[in-house]
């Protein structure tokens, strides 16, 4: 059974959600300023952050999207010169995704800015009750 929540618990959850929503809004603005849609930014990050070159299915898992939705997103990103489809060297039936130089450059700039912003916001994005020194 869940414990009774306090006013402080609700205030902490509000503070956390506010910080998270502000960061996500900021992130979307940064993507647009870099000439990307927020979805393209997330796609590039999913491709680059995945260990090895991911398949569309693996990217769909990262993005919490259906396979066909990611296919459409990849089609648009490929037309924009942000990534390429390549055949898996071991199984030519499998298609892998690789960032283009342009995609890599845009993602690198955005990612550096995101890490700086996260460092600035890290207190707001930390739930005190989950912090190692919390006495809950």
């Amino acid at each position: 059974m869940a414990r009774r929540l306090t006013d402080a618990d609700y205030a902490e959850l509000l503070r956390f959600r506010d910080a998270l929503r502000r960061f996500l809004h900021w992130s979307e603005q940064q993507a647009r300023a870099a000439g990307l849609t927020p979805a393209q930014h997330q796609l590039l990050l999913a491709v680059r952050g995945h260990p090895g070159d991911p398949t569309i299915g693996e990217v769909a898992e990262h993005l919490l999207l259906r396979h066909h939705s990611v296919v459409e997103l990849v089609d648009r990103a490929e037309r924009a010169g942000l990534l390429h489809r390549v055949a898996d060297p071991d199984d030519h039936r499998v298609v892998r995704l690789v960032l283009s130089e342009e995609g890599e450059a845009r993602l690198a700039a955005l990612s550096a800015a995101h890490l700086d912003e996260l460092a600035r916001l890290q207190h707001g994005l930390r739930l005190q009750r989950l912090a190692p020194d919390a006495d809950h």
Side-chain angles (χ1 to χ4, degrees):
M1 187 168 189
R3 73 176 183 90
R4 186 171 299 276
L5 298 175
T6 66
D7 289 345
D9 291 329
Y10 288 110
E12 183 176 6
L13 286 170
L14 176 61
R15 178 193 50 76
F16 175 80
R17 286 187 55 87
D18 281 351
L20 185 60
R21 290 177 63 82
R22 288 177 195 282
F23 173 75
L24 292 174
H25 179 75
W26 175 89
S27 176
E28 290 171 358
Q29 291 176 320
Q30 295 301 303
R32 288 185 184 101
L36 300 173
T37 67
Q40 286 173 328
H41 174 221
Q42 289 301 308
L43 171 64
L44 297 180
L45 184 58
V47 170
R48 182 64 177 87
H50 186 85
D53 299 330
T55 64
I56 287 178
E58 290 167 333
V59 169
E61 289 178 26
H62 288 298
L63 299 179
L64 303 175
L65 294 173
R66 294 192 174 176
H67 188 273
H68 70 275
S69 297
V70 175
V71 169
E72 293 172 11
L73 183 57
V74 167
D75 286 345
R76 289 190 301 273
E78 192 170 32
R79 283 193 301 273
L82 300 171
L83 55 75
H84 308 287
R85 288 176 167 97
V86 296
D88 185 289
D90 299 322
D91 184 348
H92 293 291
R93 296 170 296 173
V94 175
V95 175
R96 303 226 170 249
L97 302 174
V98 178
L99 296 186
S100 67
E101 287 184 30
E102 177 69 19
E104 186 80 43
R106 289 196 199 185
L107 180 62
L110 277 170
S111 295
H114 277 70
L115 289 172
D116 289 346
E117 183 69 1
L118 283 170
R120 191 181 74 74
L121 296 175
Q122 73 178 335
H123 173 73
L125 292 171
R126 183 182 307 125
L127 283 171
Q128 296 305 314
R129 70 181 296 171
L130 300 179
D133 60 348
D135 50 15
H136 290 275

